[in-house]
């Protein structure tokens, strides 16, 4: 099954995606991680850094290529867990198209719900040890704004598709993992 782990910056998507990927044998696709790995790229590194440091989205022409290349290299029978992708309605549609071409689909979207105030606090805390140049107040504020404006509306699209499940992101890591695993089990049973 292919899963999208959804939520605002700081909601805990990366932490959960990593755990679920290992436990369910899925490939973990983190578009943020993949973008950070591209920072040393001669052609695109500087450009990507410019967007990331401002907290803005990397243009589709670049990010979709990065995502597609990763999918191509990491195809597994059991599927992917998408973390940080899609971030716009356009990307969500592109992902559906890609899945269809591979004769598969997104079977589940888990929204880790967390309010913006809590998200801000968490990322600032993470910034002390993450070494990420975009974990600073000014950039985080932009990232949260971008999330509200461009990313959150995707929820309506997934809700209409009937594959959206919500989890309270304020809970402990262990509790959230447990809930996600329960949801996956239920969805797999229905297949
Ligand atoms: P993340 O690690 O998911 O918080 O992403 C860090 C940064 O990478 C974001 O603020 C964007 O600049 C960029 N990025 C990650 N995923 C995407 C995406 N799907 N579309 C556009 N930009 C992205």
């Amino acid at each position: 099954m292919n899963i999208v782990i959804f939520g605002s910056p700081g909601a805990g998507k990366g932490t959960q995606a990593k755990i679920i990927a290992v436990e369910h044998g899925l490939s973990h696709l983190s578009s943020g991680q993949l973008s950070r790995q591209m920072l040393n790229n001669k052609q695109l590194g500087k450009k990507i850094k410019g967007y990331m440091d401002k907290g803005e989205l990397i243009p589709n022409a670049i990010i979709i290529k990065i995502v597609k290349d990763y999918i191509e290299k990491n195809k597994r029978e059991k599927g992917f867990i998408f973390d940080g992708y899609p971030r716009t309605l356009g990307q969500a549609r592109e992902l559906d198209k890609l899945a269809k071409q591979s004769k598969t689909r997104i079977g589940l979207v888990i929204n880790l719900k967390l309010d913006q105030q809590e998200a801000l606090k968490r990322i600032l805390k993470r910034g002390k040890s993450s070494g990420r140049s975009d974990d600073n107040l000014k950039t985080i504020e932009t990232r949260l704004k971008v999330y509200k404006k461009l990313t959150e509306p995707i929820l309506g699209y997934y809700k209409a598709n009937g594959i959206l499940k919500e989890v309270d992101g304020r809970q402990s890591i262990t509790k959230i993992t447990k809930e996600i695993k329960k949801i996956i089990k239920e969805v797999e049973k229905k297949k």
Side-chain angles (χ1 to χ4, degrees):
M1 174 156 61
N2 297 295
I3 301 170
V4 170
I5 186 118
F6 199 89
S8 82
K13 299 187 295 290
T15 305
Q16 293 300 329
K18 246 184 247 160
I19 301 171
I20 300 296
V22 171
E23 296 196 7
H24 287 264
L26 301 169
S27 291
H28 175 197
L29 186 156
S30 158
S31 51
Q33 190 74 38
L34 291 174
S35 304
R36 281 186 284 282
Q37 284 165 8
M38 290 286 289
L39 290 177
N40 290 326
N41 182 284
K42 267 202 188 133
Q43 249 185 326
L44 292 172
K46 258 197 187 152
K47 207 169 176 186
I48 291 176
K49 185 170 168 37
Y51 291 105
M52 289 180 98
D53 281 352
K54 275 192 240 149
E56 289 169 5
L57 295 185
I58 296 164
N60 276 347
I62 299 175
I63 197 79
I64 291 177
K65 167 91 173 44
I66 293 176
V67 166
K68 269 189 184 168
D69 285 352
Y70 184 87
I71 291 177
E72 205 41 60
K73 283 191 204 131
N74 293 276
K75 270 190 185 152
R76 289 207 197 144
E77 243 173 71
K78 285 191 161 175
F80 287 87
I81 181 154
F82 294 92
D83 152 20
Y85 189 93
R87 260 178 157 91
T88 63
L89 204 49
Q91 289 181 5
R93 293 206 173 101
E94 187 66 33
L95 184 59
D96 279 346
K97 222 164 66 187
L98 265 175
K100 211 170 175 189
Q101 280 165 7
S102 304
K103 298 200 166 42
T104 177
R105 65 185 191 94
I106 304 298
L108 173 64
V109 177
I110 291 173
N111 180 27
L112 286 181
K113 276 174 83 171
L114 193 72
D115 69 60
Q116 296 236 320
Q117 214 42 38
E118 186 60 30
L120 184 77
K121 258 203 279 183
R122 277 200 199 172
I123 312 173
L124 279 175
K125 198 170 158 209
R126 179 177 77 186
K128 290 185 186 149
S129 58
S130 70
R132 276 178 58 168
S133 56
D134 61 346
D135 279 350
N136 64 75
L137 185 60
K138 190 161 176 254
T139 306
I140 299 165
E141 278 173 349
T142 308
R143 285 159 67 198
L144 291 171
K145 262 187 216 149
V146 168
Y147 172 77
K148 272 276 164 215
K149 188 168 169 216
L150 299 171
T151 308
E152 205 174 52
I154 310 177
L155 287 174
Y157 173 74
Y158 285 133
K159 200 168 180 186
N161 288 355
I163 54 172
L164 180 67
K165 300 275 178 199
E166 315 235 300
V167 172
D168 183 350
R170 290 170 307 181
Q171 305 176 97
S172 69
I173 294 177
T174 327
K175 196 117 189 276
I176 294 176
T177 306
K178 215 167 150 192
E179 249 189 65
I180 294 177
K181 282 164 72 175
K182 197 169 149 216
I183 294 171
I184 294 175
K185 228 182 203 169
E186 279 164 9
V187 172
E188 278 179 336
K189 233 186 343 196
K190 276 192 206 145
K191 270 203 300 187

